[in-house]
Amino acid sequence: MSPPVLLLRVAAAWPLPGLGLLVLPDGPTPYLAACDLHTALAVEAHLPDGTRHPGLATVEEVARPETTVLSLLLDLSPARELPVGTIIWLAGPAPALG
């Protein structure tokens, strides 16, 4: 069994009505950097209080004045927000990258 894959630790998250939660990372995202934009991933969010929420995500890109950041657009029913420090893990088989 392969070790779990860390996708990102949440620095900020915003609900986008009709789309899900846009989540920005608090640091580098090497796994996401190897993914194509809009790659669908099975994920599990581990909140700081120990709560876990499975869901789906797509890899997105957010342009900011100083940089472009890879992020996730999450569908984590019933979670409607994620606190800073939440950790997002890959929950399903890793898609082929490259």
Side-chain angles (χ1 to χ4, degrees):
M1 182 172 189
S2 60
V5 176
L6 173 66
L7 298 177
L8 62 79
R9 184 179 304 268
V10 175
W14 296 276
L16 300 178
L19 297 175
L21 291 169
L22 180 63
V23 179
L24 297 182
D26 76 350
T29 55
Y31 185 86
L32 297 183
C35 294
D36 291 330
L37 287 180
H38 313 297
T39 298
L41 304 169
V43 300
E44 186 171 74
H46 294 209
L47 282 66
D49 69 2
T51 305
R52 294 179 178 198
H53 293 286
L56 298 174
T58 57
V59 178
E60 304 298 334
E61 194 172 67
V62 176
R64 299 173 131 185
E66 65 279 359
T67 188
T68 299
V69 177
L70 290 172
S71 61
L72 291 174
L73 184 59
L74 300 172
D75 179 4
L76 293 174
S77 296
R80 304 218 187 288
E81 58 184 54
L82 292 178
V84 170
T86 296
I87 300 171
I88 310 293
W89 295 93
L90 185 64
L97 301 177

